[in-house]
Amino acid sequence: MSIRFGPFTLNPPTRQLLRDQAEIHLPPKAFDLLCALVQRRPEVMPKAELLSLVWPEAFVVDANLNVLIGEIRRALDDDSRQPRYIRTVHGVGYAFSGDAVEEDRPRRREPREGAGFWRPPREGARFWLIWKERTFVLLEGSNVVGRHPECHIWLDEPGVSRRHATINVDPVTDRVVLEDLNSTNGTCVRQTPIAAPHALKDRDVLQIGSVELTFRAWSGDSSRETERIHRKRR
């Protein structure tokens, strides 16, 4: 479910913050903090609760939280002296003070019970990446690929940048676009480096730094005949 406020749309499942149709980058912890404040609006969330939510197994000071709040305010063009969205309750914590409206989102694909195989619950192509014995399902919206554990597609390899590339899935057109994020070792499609957003096709081989993945698209077209295997007679 996405949440609209002013010109912004916050979509927690796809981890996207949009202004009109343009995506705004927020660091992962700042994004988590914004989601918590929006979902608990207009309740004031104490600093201690926010710290334990964003840093669940670490001891950090209030200054770390202030940095994240500053990042959120810059992304939202929010003035701390006359806030529209993020309200400071001195000595207590923070609250989301903007008018927000929740919007329904398409259901995420799930296996159907009792089926011999799974398929998406609605018509249209679905997408995933294959690396060695692992499969990464691509969600609608932005899928960040990189070496950082909080990336949507985590590739724990030294030749991969922390935030290496992004793969954007358009749920309306079913168009999938790969874009390099100024990575150290570059991004290739079919052994050709890309310098601009590149639309992907089924069975494209991607080179994310030192990692090779295969892009697959499921179109829902079951009309193709099964290819017959010709075996030699003994």
Side-chain angles (χ1 to χ4, degrees):
M1 177 177 290
S2 61
I3 304 168
R4 289 185 59 86
F5 51 94
F8 301 99
T9 300
L10 180 68
N11 192 338
T14 61
R15 300 188 66 82
Q16 285 182 293
L17 174 64
L18 305 176
R19 179 166 190 160
D20 298 324
Q21 298 300 318
E23 185 167 358
I24 300 173
H25 171 69
L26 266 182
K29 291 189 182 300
F31 187 91
D32 292 339
L33 178 58
L34 176 60
C35 288
L37 292 171
V38 171
Q39 291 169 344
R40 292 272 292 273
R41 66 187 187 280
E43 178 183 345
V44 177
M45 296 190 68
K47 290 184 179 181
E49 183 178 356
L50 291 171
L51 288 171
S52 65
L53 177 67
V54 180
W55 290 279
E57 298 181 357
F59 175 78
V60 295
V61 296
D62 289 356
N64 298 77
L65 189 61
N66 296 339
V67 170
L68 297 188
I69 290 293
E71 291 175 340
I72 294 171
R73 282 178 168 149
R74 284 191 293 274
L76 301 179
D77 290 331
D78 202 26
D79 189 341
S80 60
R81 292 167 295 183
Q82 295 181 322
R84 292 174 296 169
Y85 303 117
I86 305 299
R87 180 169 64 94
T88 301
V89 182
H90 295 288
V92 181
Y94 298 93
F96 185 84
S97 56
D99 294 328
V101 178
E102 296 183 354
E103 297 181 334
D104 291 334
R105 298 286 295 174
R107 293 180 60 190
R108 300 172 79 177
R109 50 194 177 274
E110 298 177 350
R112 292 184 175 180
E113 295 184 3
F117 59 92
W118 77 269
R119 56 178 173 268
R122 67 179 182 86
E123 295 286 336
R126 304 268 61 84
F127 314 100
W128 64 96
L129 295 175
I130 299 173
W131 175 41
K132 298 179 180 179
E133 301 299 321
R134 300 176 62 184
T135 299
F136 301 95
V137 176
L138 297 174
L139 303 178
E140 295 175 353
S142 178
N143 299 263
V144 178
V145 184
R147 198 178 74 253
H148 195 286
E150 293 185 355
C151 288
H152 304 85
I153 300 172
W154 180 28
L155 304 177
D156 189 18
E157 294 290 333
V160 178
S161 297
R162 289 170 63 83
R163 284 175 51 87
H164 194 108
T166 183
I167 301 176
N168 190 71
V169 177
D170 189 324
V172 177
T173 64
D174 278 334
R175 190 166 182 261
V176 182
V177 177
L178 171 68
E179 183 175 2
D180 185 79
L181 296 178
N182 296 318
S183 65
T184 301
N185 294 316
T187 301
C188 300
V189 177
R190 295 183 181 268
Q191 299 183 341
T192 301
I194 64 171
H198 183 94
L200 297 178
K201 299 180 295 183
D202 185 32
R203 298 183 186 276
D204 273 347
V205 176
L206 317 182
Q207 195 79 28
I208 305 294
S210 58
V211 174
E212 185 175 281
L213 307 97
T214 302
F215 170 72
R216 294 306 314 270
W218 188 85
S219 65
D221 181 8
S222 60
S223 61
R224 295 177 57 188
E225 294 184 358
T226 302
E227 181 179 350
R228 182 177 295 276
I229 299 175
H230 297 283
R231 294 184 173 87
K232 294 181 179 180
R233 294 183 178 179
R234 295 182 179 179

